[in-house]
Amino acid sequence: MKKILIVALPLVLIAVTAMGVGSWQAMQKVQTLPAYSIKVIAESLESRNAETFYKLVDVDKILSIAAEEIITAKINDELNSMTYSTLEISETYEKLKQDFIAASKNALENYFSVSKVKISDDSTEMQKWLIKSGVESCHIKSYSEPIVIDGLAHVKVYIHNSEMSFSFEVEISMERISENEWRIVNAKGFDGYFLGVKRGVDMKLASLNAPIQDKIAETFDVKKFSTEITEGDEYGFSKTLKISVDADFFSDKPIEKIIGRVVIDGRDGNIGITPFEIDINDKENGLNTFEINKVLNPFVKQDSDIMKRGLRKSKLSIEVTEIDYLDGTTLKEYDSLPGW
């Protein structure tokens, strides 16, 4: 049963399916408790009783919440607000949300009609993301006893994604709709699923890039750097962060340029990334000094903080991600997992 139903994981519905039988059997006759309704919901999924399931689960509400939390986390991670307008971000959000809801509804309907959940892997962005995220490998680790507060029953469900090796928690809320029935009407915690997938992807990407980073360091190894804040534009609004980098440079064939990023850990915990390119210009092998300039924008909070308070060296790092050779070959880190 789990294998079939887990595909719809982004819905809190999945959490409910695995709760059924087990520890609730002793409470089967206590029909007035929310635990009994959880058991009924689980049984409705096992028997593919759509009428009972939709009666006891506010599917539209839960799907909307799941979509909002996951897609908000996705957009915050992937979109740069300095690059995209508010309108573009809003349009992207609405498109992804509708894609997510449509894919999840279709998966649920497929299950009730043919006892098989199928998410297409060749259509929308969110359908592809759900499949690649390892949703089919998820299973329930544990759950809490229902706690009733102000008329609502709350249950915490702990779910593990085996493929990406992470766990996350979803809390569902239920309200009484009759003397013997409770309905799932709310949920929260789906953003934890996105963050778990992101961590899993980052770990796999780091493992893939480790040998490439070793080769890059053999060619261009940053030994130390110093920073200085100087005047920027002629009107005095911006300033320039000048970074002087000492690197041990060695290559047995001519290099055209070094590509990388300046990473700054902001005071508010946000990470700022600025790409850079260094033209080698026939530099000789050995220790060389290179200059990287970053324009500080007073309208960007992190840049503004640097302009006002300076920058601690421990908060800045120089990462080389690519070396381009004159013969057209490159040595480059993966910026995404193959297939993602």
Side-chain angles (χ1 to χ4, degrees), residues 1-2 4-6 8 12-21 38-39 41-43 45-46 53 108 111 140 184:
M1 177 186 72
K2 286 185 182 178
I4 294 174
L5 300 176
I6 285 303
V12 77
L13 317 176
I14 296 304
V16 176
T17 69
M19 284 185 189
V21 198
I38 290 176
K39 177 181 179 296
I41 292 170
E43 290 176 345
L45 282 164
E46 279 194 88
F53 180 80
L108 193 58
Y111 172 72
I140 306 302
I184 297 177

Side-chain angles (χ1 to χ4, degrees), residues 7-275:
V7 178
L9 167 69
L11 325 177
V12 77
L13 317 176
I14 296 304
V16 176
T17 69
M19 284 185 189
V21 198
S23 64
W24 299 121
Q25 286 182 338
M27 306 177 69
Q28 286 182 6
K29 296 182 180 180
V30 190
Q31 298 184 11
T32 60
L33 297 179
Y36 185 81
S37 288
I38 290 176
K39 177 181 179 296
V40 172
I41 292 170
E43 290 176 345
S44 73
L45 282 164
E46 279 194 88
S47 62
R48 292 192 287 121
N49 183 339
E51 181 179 355
T52 298
F53 180 80
Y54 284 108
K55 178 182 180 182
L56 297 182
V57 179
D58 189 340
V59 172
D60 289 337
K61 177 71 175 296
I62 301 306
L63 278 175
S64 179
I65 293 171
E68 289 168 5
E69 293 189 347
I70 289 176
I71 292 165
T72 296
K74 188 175 190 296
I75 287 178
N76 287 340
D77 178 67
E78 296 176 356
L79 297 185
N80 185 335
S81 60
M82 297 301 295
T83 303
Y84 294 85
S85 68
T86 302
L87 178 60
E88 287 174 318
I89 293 175
S90 177
E91 290 175 345
T92 298
Y93 172 84
E94 288 301 326
K95 178 180 181 300
L96 293 179
K97 180 178 178 181
Q98 294 309 312
D99 285 351
F100 181 100
I101 291 174
S104 299
K105 278 189 174 181
N106 186 60
L108 193 58
E109 289 168 2
N110 282 343
Y111 172 72
F112 281 120
S113 62
V114 297
S115 191
K116 182 179 181 181
V117 176
K118 179 174 176 54
I119 298 178
S120 174
D121 61 357
D122 59 357
S123 51
T124 69
E125 179 179 346
M126 288 310 298
Q127 286 172 328
K128 293 177 181 178
W129 184 86
L130 285 171
I131 294 170
K132 291 185 290 189
S133 71
V135 68
E136 293 186 7
S137 74
C138 295
H139 61 275
I140 306 302
K141 289 182 64 177
S142 60
Y143 48 85
S144 69
E145 295 287 333
I147 298 176
V148 179
I149 303 175
D150 296 329
L152 284 179
H154 304 276
V155 181
K156 291 183 179 179
V157 184
Y158 307 94
I159 306 169
H160 184 71
N161 183 316
S162 299
E163 184 173 329
M164 304 297 286
S165 299
F166 73 89
S167 298
F168 73 106
E169 171 189 313
V170 171
E171 181 177 318
I172 62 173
S173 299
M174 308 173 74
E175 68 177 12
R176 174 172 265 158
I177 58 173
S178 72
E179 181 180 355
N180 297 330
E181 295 174 315
W182 293 72
R183 189 180 198 220
I184 297 177
V185 295
N186 211 337
K188 62 181 179 180
F190 292 107
D191 53 346
Y193 184 75
F194 173 82
L195 295 175
V197 171
K198 174 177 168 53
R199 285 192 296 270
V201 169
D202 288 346
M203 289 176 64
K204 290 185 178 182
L205 194 58
S207 177
L208 196 62
N209 279 329
I212 299 174
Q213 291 167 344
D214 289 342
K215 291 181 180 179
I216 289 176
E218 290 174 3
T219 303
F220 191 91
D221 187 16
V222 175
K223 295 299 184 181
K224 64 178 182 178
F225 62 85
S226 60
T227 62
E228 178 187 9
I229 298 176
T230 65
E231 295 303 320
D233 64 82
E234 59 183 305
Y235 303 104
F237 288 111
S238 68
K239 291 184 180 295
T240 299
L241 175 64
K242 289 190 173 183
I243 308 170
S244 181
V245 179
D246 289 343
D248 197 0
F249 165 66
F250 177 82
S251 177
D252 55 4
K253 61 180 181 177
I255 291 178
E256 179 183 2
K257 59 186 175 182
I258 302 293
I259 298 174
R261 54 188 173 238
V262 176
V263 181
I264 299 177
D265 185 0
R267 294 176 184 274
D268 55 1
N270 291 328
I271 303 297
I273 298 176
T274 303

Side-chain angles (χ1 to χ4, degrees), residues 228-233 235-242 264 267 294-312:
E228 178 187 9
I229 298 176
T230 65
E231 295 303 320
D233 64 82
Y235 303 104
F237 288 111
S238 68
K239 291 184 180 295
T240 299
L241 175 64
K242 289 190 173 183
I264 299 177
R267 294 176 184 274
K294 169 182 165 54
V295 176
L296 299 174
N297 185 338
F299 299 105
V300 176
K301 185 177 186 304
Q302 182 168 272
D303 288 2
S304 177
D305 286 343
I306 294 173
M307 292 169 66
K308 293 176 182 177
R309 303 181 180 90
L311 176 66
R312 284 190 293 166

